[in-house]
Amino acid sequence: MTVIGLDDTDSRTLGMCTTYLATLVAEAVEARGGTVERRLLVRLNPAVEHKTRGNAALAIHTDLPAGAAFDLAREELDRWAVLDDDRTSPGIVVAPGSADTVSTAVADFARDAVRDFHDLDAAVDLAERSGFLTEGWHGGRGRIGALAAVGAWAAFDEWTYEHISYREFHRCGTPREVDFDSVFDAADAAYPDAWDTVDREEGEAVCVPNAPGPILHGIRGDDADTVREVAAAIDSESVDRSATFLTNQGTDAHLRDGVVSDLRDGRAYRVAGTVASDPETRAGGHVFFDLEADGSTVPVAAFEPTKRFRNRVRALRVGDALTACGEVGDGTLKLEKFAVRDLVRTEPATPVCPDCGRTMKSAGRNQGYRCRDCGTDAPGKVERAVDRDLEFGWYEVPPCARRHIAKPLVRGGFDAATHPER
């Protein structure tokens, strides 16, 4: 067996996409008489500065000999990659042998590529020491992701599916012709086995991209047949070709357990703490609060694109206990979801006179409160019950704002009652 890894052939302006190139490579493999065992779409660390739009690397598992697979992949990349885009830096890594038997070092490299950062020289060195074939264009930074894609099958246990339908290539850059009623109907029929197809409250077909590339729509879910059925039920312009990928999307593979005092930019964490400041809506509609644990604090943000999720954040109060998940950038934790572990249920309030029902007034510094009409007094403030708009459990950003790799609550496996929001 052989594994072909590809990365960084996207063009943000000229309409190329690495998933499309991988599909063409897989078709070329089959045209040469080879078999494609599986296609992987691997989302890498979303915080990496030099990245493609969704930071995806691709792998094709085939029975072609490594040399023939390498030559074929080079031919297709030379033909299709948009090398006129200076931000495109393609790379190929081809590994002889089964994807199940890559070295521990290569599997660790793949795992770390989702949660951390890698240096190009270190990636090339590891690939060469492993006996892999490599080539890069425009510096070949894509060899980092390509090597990660080679090691991904051995690195991760949880996989989902995405079925991608592609447009006729000459249509790239033109408005997509998709019947959105059919998208919403297909999404409703397949939910929750297919998820993040639409965002009904925002009225958005999440599966239809806005970028100028060749993807017409991409359907994600837990079952390969289901995602293909949803795609087939969508009325649209003609589909030129399609492919079903195994992927780490929707798995939270990017999250690591962390503590507030030790968070670093460019990584994504699952961290526990207590709300230490009232949520504040700032310019642009972004909502911020501080999270505290063991004497350390970190700013937490729910940005405007998270839409109605911000109302959940605004409902927090100082003293609420949370588990917060998200990427850290510029010292701020950017919320993807959070779990309420404990809620403040009371607050200090000025006492009410038991005789007349009026609110008491201060009797002076450190002298408690007194009713000016009845003369009754109280030693200090009392605890008053607070109505809360939150319950114990998880809250998440809506589908229109979810990162590719973030796990939707509807997929389950969380440690508290969930509140999936469609």
Side-chain angles (χ1 to χ4, degrees):
M1 296 296 292
T2 299
V3 183
I4 305 170
L6 306 164
D7 192 25
D8 210 356
T9 66
D10 282 29
S11 170
R12 294 165 176 80
T13 57
L14 301 176
M16 190 53 193
C17 165
T18 306
T19 71
Y20 186 74
L21 176 65
T23 299
L24 296 175
V25 170
E27 290 177 2
V29 165
E30 293 172 335
R32 298 278 180 93
T35 299
V36 175
E37 182 179 0
R38 66 180 68 90
R39 301 166 172 85
L40 299 187
L41 192 168
V42 184
R43 298 291 179 181
L44 307 179
N45 185 349
V48 171
E49 178 183 358
H50 299 290
K51 64 179 181 179
T52 52
R53 283 186 299 269
N55 208 20
L58 281 296
I60 299 161
H61 298 178
T62 176
D63 59 358
L64 278 187
F70 183 67
D71 291 342
L72 183 152
R74 290 178 66 243
E75 291 171 10
E76 292 299 319
L77 196 147
D78 277 332
R79 182 180 307 160
W80 289 98
V82 184
L83 299 179
D84 291 337
D85 188 334
D86 291 337
R87 292 176 295 181
T88 298
S89 184
I92 294 174
V93 175
V94 174
S98 170
D100 299 299
T101 60
V102 298
S103 68
T104 300
V106 174
D108 288 345
F109 183 95
R111 196 175 296 109
D112 290 342
V114 177
R115 296 183 174 183
D116 217 311
F117 299 89
H118 283 308
D119 176 78
L120 176 58
D121 290 341
V124 173
D125 179 66
L126 177 58
E128 291 178 348
R129 286 190 286 109
S130 301
F132 300 164
L133 304 172
T134 74
E135 185 153 347
W137 292 254
H138 279 192
R141 193 173 52 246
R143 286 172 288 181
I144 298 173
L147 180 58
V150 165
W153 187 248
F156 302 108
D157 296 324
E158 186 177 7
W159 297 93
T160 62
Y161 294 90
E162 180 166 6
H163 184 77
I164 299 179
S165 300
Y166 298 98
R167 321 176 68 187
E168 296 173 336
F169 198 77
H170 71 272
R171 289 178 176 262
C172 288
T174 65
R176 290 169 174 83
E177 298 176 13
V178 177
D179 180 82
F180 286 91
D181 287 340
S182 71
V183 176
F184 279 79
D185 289 344
D188 285 348
Y191 188 83
D193 292 330
W195 31 263
D196 285 3
T197 308
V198 301
D199 188 322
R200 185 162 288 282
E201 288 197 38
E202 298 298 327
E204 184 174 333
V206 178
C207 66
V208 180
N210 295 315
I215 295 177
L216 182 59
H217 46 70
I219 309 302
R220 299 172 183 177
D222 294 312
D223 178 76
D225 289 337
T226 299
V227 295
R228 285 190 283 261
E229 289 166 4
V230 171
I234 295 173
D235 295 328
S236 69
E237 64 186 66
S238 60
V239 173
D240 184 53
R241 49 174 41 90
S242 61
T244 303
F245 295 88
L246 278 160
T247 173
N248 64 345
Q249 293 170 161
T251 65
D252 276 348
H254 64 314
L255 295 180
R256 61 175 78 195
D257 292 329
V259 294
V260 169
S261 61
D262 194 30
L263 304 183
R264 294 187 294 163
D265 282 0
R267 285 85 178 169
Y269 295 92
R270 184 187 299 105
V271 61
T274 302
V275 177
S277 67
D278 291 325
E280 175 189 2
T281 302
R282 299 181 185 172
H286 314 306
V287 181
F288 290 80
F289 68 92
D290 290 332
L291 190 71
E292 185 274 335
D294 298 324
S296 298
T297 62
V298 61
V300 179
F303 292 108
E304 189 279 333
T306 63
K307 304 301 179 185
R308 57 193 183 273
F309 175 69
R310 293 171 298 159
N311 293 331
R312 304 299 195 183
V313 177
R314 291 185 181 106
L316 294 169
R317 299 176 68 98
V318 172
D320 290 342
L322 308 179
T323 298
C325 300
E327 172 197 324
V328 175
D330 297 324
T332 297
L333 179 67
K334 305 170 185 178
L335 271 183
E336 296 173 3
K337 54 180 162 273
F338 67 89
V340 174
R341 303 302 186 188
D342 196 13
L343 285 170
V344 172
R345 297 291 189 181
T346 63
E347 64 181 359
T350 303
V352 172
C353 175
D355 296 329
C356 68
R358 293 187 176 90
T359 301
M360 293 184 179
K361 304 295 183 183
S362 173
R365 183 177 178 84
N366 298 324
Q367 295 184 51
Y369 294 86
R370 179 174 294 112
C371 178
R372 294 181 180 177
D373 294 327
C374 303
T376 54
D377 55 26
K381 288 192 174 182
V382 296
E383 290 297 311
R384 179 176 62 192
V386 179
D387 290 331
R388 301 302 305 270
D389 292 330
L390 297 171
E391 300 292 341
F392 296 147
W394 286 90
Y395 297 89
E396 64 181 355
V397 301
C400 68
R402 193 171 354 266
R403 287 190 140 160
H404 301 294
I405 200 167
K407 186 175 184 177
L409 298 182
V410 71
R411 293 203 62 230
F414 293 86
D415 59 358
T418 62
H419 301 274
E421 297 185 35
R422 295 170 60 186

